[in-house]
């Protein structure tokens, strides 16, 4: 699937941003002006695309001066492809922007919630007022979107977020009960996330404990998914919610993974995390369980048929 980074700047400054400094500091007009984006889009041919959607990222893509024109161009050139926009949602605070953006059909908006109130969320984005704008943006989207459009909330599991995960899930459930999809993401230790590793500060041991305590809330969402989780980091009952989303070049398998009964269904571990692993954090799974598998590489396990033997 084509992933287009269309702008280098962002109106947030998140602790766990994976963009490197040389990208963040680049003058976006040099390589991300509208004419260059047009040439890049014109280089794509539908028959050569291996998936059914585009992903637009940044920086913050919605602050590109001609973001709406880029959306219109993609929709005109590839009318059947879904457009995924990874955004912090703040520009949707403005009703006029939300109205224009949501004229684009087959659009999926992907927005992070990083706290359960302004204090906790803004401490992660490091921008005062970002929470109120994001929440209002979500409200504007939900009030305007049609059946061809979707909205998903992502929760990146850094230290402060995992410590208040139940409150965040509760906030989302109560404030936005109509949200279709929730994604819980183990962070990638790149860019700002690597620099702020002490503040980001999570491992699979700690995340697993909190997720297990939040089982009731997690089960309250029909479509809640886990991204960036090797199978062995969560109990069997969570496996149908685990998705493989990282590109193959970013993950690896450790020598003992060859002893795991379920290696062929597993994402593996992000290469940048291997040096941070604690002893015993990843272990081969050798308990037998009947699983219901799919033909979808990204979501290979869709059900657990019985308990482990």
């Amino acid at each position: 699937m084509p992933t287009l980074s269309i702008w280098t700047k962002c109106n947030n400054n998140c602790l766990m941003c994976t963009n490197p400094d040389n990208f963040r500091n680049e003058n976006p007009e040099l390589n991300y002006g509208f004419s260059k984006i047009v040439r890049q889009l014109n280089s794509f041919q539908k028959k050569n695309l291996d998936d059914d959607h585009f992903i637009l990222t940044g920086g913050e893509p919605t602050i590109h001066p001609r973001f709406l024109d880029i959306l219109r161009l993609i929709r005109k050139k590839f009318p059947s492809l879904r457009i995924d926009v990874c955004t912090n949602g703040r520009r949707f605070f403005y009703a006029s922007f939300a109205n224009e953006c949501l004229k684009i059909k087959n659009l999926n908006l992907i927005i992070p919630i990083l706290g359960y109130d302004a204090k906790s969320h803004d401490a992660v984005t490091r921008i005062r007022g970002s929470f109120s704008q994001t929440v209002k943006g979500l409200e504007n989207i939900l009030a305007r979107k049609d059946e061809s459009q979707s909205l998903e909330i992502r929760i990146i599991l850094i230290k402060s977020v995992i410590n208040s995960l139940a409150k965040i899930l509760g906030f989302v459930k109560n404030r936005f009960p109509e949200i279709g999809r929730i994604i819980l993401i183990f962070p990638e230790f790149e860019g700002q996330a690597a620099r702020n590793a002490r503040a980001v500060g999570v491992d699979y041991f700690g995340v697993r404990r909190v997720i297990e305590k939040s089982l009731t809330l997690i089960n309250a969402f029909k479509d809640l998914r886990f991204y960036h989780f090797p199978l062995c980091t969560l109990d069997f009952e969570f496996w149908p919610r685990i998705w493989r989303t990282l590109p193959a070049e970013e993950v690896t398998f450790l020598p003992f993974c060859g002893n795991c009964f379920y290696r062929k269904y597993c994402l593996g571990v992000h290469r940048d995390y291997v040096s941070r692993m604690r002893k015993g954090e990843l272990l081969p799974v050798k308990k037998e369980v009947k699983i219901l598998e799919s033909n979808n590489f990204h979501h290979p396990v869709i059900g657990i048929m019985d308990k482990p033997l």
Side-chain angles (χ1 to χ4, degrees), residues 10 44 68 85 87 89 116 121 169 174 184 203 214 220 222 224 244 247 254 256 263 286 297 299 308-309:
C10 186
F44 290 115
L68 292 171
V85 182
T87 169
Y116 58 90
H121 179 96
L169 289 173
N174 292 329
L184 302 185
D203 57 40
S214 305
K222 183 177 180 180
L224 184 147
R244 289 196 282 211
L254 302 171
F256 56 70
R263 184 187 186 280
K286 295 184 178 181
F297 173 83
H299 188 210
L309 299 176

Side-chain angles (χ1 to χ4, degrees), residues 121-178:
H121 179 96
D122 293 359
V124 178
T125 65
R126 298 185 287 190
I127 298 294
R128 182 176 296 180
S130 60
F131 178 77
S132 61
Q133 285 196 327
T134 296
V135 168
K136 181 60 177 177
L138 290 168
E139 292 173 349
N140 282 338
I141 293 166
L142 290 169
R144 291 164 171 81
K145 78 178 190 68
D146 63 28
E147 291 185 356
S148 77
Q149 297 156 339
S150 55
L151 173 64
E152 68 180 54
I153 286 180
R154 295 193 172 186
I155 301 172
I156 298 91
L157 301 172
I158 67 171
K159 183 187 293 185
S160 63
V161 171
I162 200 68
N163 288 341
S164 56
L165 180 60
K167 290 183 178 180
I168 296 172
L169 289 173
F171 166 78
V172 172
K173 188 66 178 176
N174 292 329
R175 188 69 175 266
F176 303 111
E178 63 272 57

